[in-house]
Each structure stands twice: as structure tokens, then as C-alpha cells.
Amino acid sequence: MYRGKVKQTHCTESASSATTPPTLENPPVSAVVECLCATVEDYPKPGVAFKDLTPVFADGQALRQVVDSLVSPFAGKFDAVAGVEARGFLLAAAAAYASGTGVITVRKAGKLPRAVYAESYALEYGHATLELHQDDIPAGTRVLILDDVLATGGTLGAAAALLERAGAVVAGVGVVLEIDALAGRGNLPGREVVSLMHV
């Protein structure tokens, strides 16, 4: 299988807790993400620079800072956290645990065993479908949606549509990284969107 060339910045300082103000010794979350994120050139196709956040998630302090930074703008505004398959699951589970709420899985087509709502959408490399169990969410539940990257906004727009079809209220959308050139916010009209880093 093809793998692109990796460029990664090596951090001289470990990530710090989000509970203290940013300093040179305690960098802001965007600096932590930039420091740890690996860039894979020509993946998944030539000309694309893929931002791989798995090194950020693998660093315990960085993961805590990322999750705290995603949750804090929405404190008191959500009852559950939805994660979009697959990396969104990592963030949603951690955020749900940190906030004492439930976690909802928005999955790729064919993964869920019971009756589902389905939403198809375009993404930067093709088309896909997301699904959500019809009975996982009580009507009126306020749901915070988390994912790793906001690119074209198709995935997150589909997730929001699914949740609303299930009777939930979308409390907001949080992502670690937003690719500004792809204008993904245009697919999330009227949504409160928090991005920890812009590229």
C-alpha cells in the first residue's frame, strides 16, 4: 500500500495542561497541535498534504489539552458528545468522560445493527454515507459533535443532519484542525464551530 513522505516537527517541550495560561513553557493548544502533528506529503493521493493527528492523540498531556479546549467553549450547553468515525470517536469518548456525559457514535454505512438514519455526502476524495441508530438519542438531547479535521464540511454537515433527524439539538461542532482553503464552514451554516488550529 502506498504511503507518502512524512514531515514531523519534534517538540522540545511536552504539552501542558489547558488549565493554566499559555506561556513559553505552557504553549497554547494550537502550538501543541502544530508541534506534534505529522504532515504526510502526497497522501492519500499526489499533491495532498495529509495532516496526521495521531501523534497528538498519543501524547497524554496533549490529548488532555485538546479535549479540554474543545469542551470548554460549550460547557453547560450539551448533554452528550457525538464522534464521527473514526478519529472522532477518540475525541468524543474522552470529552464525554471528562464532562460526565454520554457518547454517541456516528458510523460509516453498514456498521450499525439496528434501524438507522442514513445521510450521504460529498467529501474531498469522493462520496460516503454516515449512519446513526434511530433510537440512541432522546428527543431534545443537546449534542456536541467532535471530529479531528474540518475540511469540506461534508462529513460534519451529514452528522449534524443525522442528529437533527433523530430529534437531537446540535449544540455545536468542535474540531482539532480546520483547513481554511476548503471553506468547510460553508456546509455548517448557523452552527457554532470551534477549531483549535487553522491551516
Side-chain angles (χ1 to χ4, degrees):
M1 179 179 284
Y2 173 81
R3 290 290 185 267
K5 184 177 179 182
V6 178
K7 293 182 181 178
Q8 186 169 1
T9 302
H10 296 285
C11 306
T12 55
E13 298 288 340
S14 62
S16 303
S17 170
T19 59
T20 55
T23 64
L24 288 176
E25 292 76 26
N26 176 34
V29 66
S30 59
V32 172
V33 172
E34 184 175 12
C35 178
L36 292 172
C37 181
T39 300
V40 185
E41 302 291 345
D42 298 321
Y43 181 85
K45 63 182 183 179
V48 174
F50 182 81
K51 297 294 185 180
D52 180 10
L53 292 169
T54 54
V56 181
F57 301 152
D59 184 295
Q61 290 181 318
L63 177 61
R64 176 177 290 179
Q65 187 172 357
V66 163
V67 170
D68 288 348
S69 297
L70 288 172
V71 168
S72 61
F74 302 100
K77 299 178 182 178
F78 64 95
D79 310 305
V81 185
V84 183
E85 190 166 354
R87 287 176 293 273
F89 291 171
L90 302 173
L91 294 166
Y97 180 82
S99 59
T101 62
V103 65
I104 298 162
T105 54
V106 179
R107 301 216 59 186
K108 295 175 182 176
K111 302 289 188 178
L112 296 173
R114 304 193 313 274
V116 298
Y117 295 114
E119 191 79 20
S120 295
Y121 62 99
L123 40 70
E124 58 269 38
Y125 311 120
H127 291 80
T129 300
L130 292 178
E131 294 181 341
L132 174 71
H133 276 140
Q134 293 181 3
D135 58 357
D136 275 352
I137 313 165
T141 301
R142 301 171 301 167
V143 180
L144 171 62
I145 305 172
L146 298 183
D147 204 0
D148 60 336
V149 175
L150 172 55
T152 64
T155 303
L156 288 164
L162 282 174
L163 289 162
E164 289 177 339
R165 286 173 62 191
V169 176
V170 176
V173 176
V175 297
V176 180
L177 188 147
E178 180 172 355
I179 304 172
D180 293 333
L182 296 178
R185 287 181 184 239
N187 281 323
L188 299 167
R191 312 286 185 196
E192 182 179 357
V193 180
V194 169
S195 303
L196 304 185
M197 179 182 168
H198 295 258
V199 294

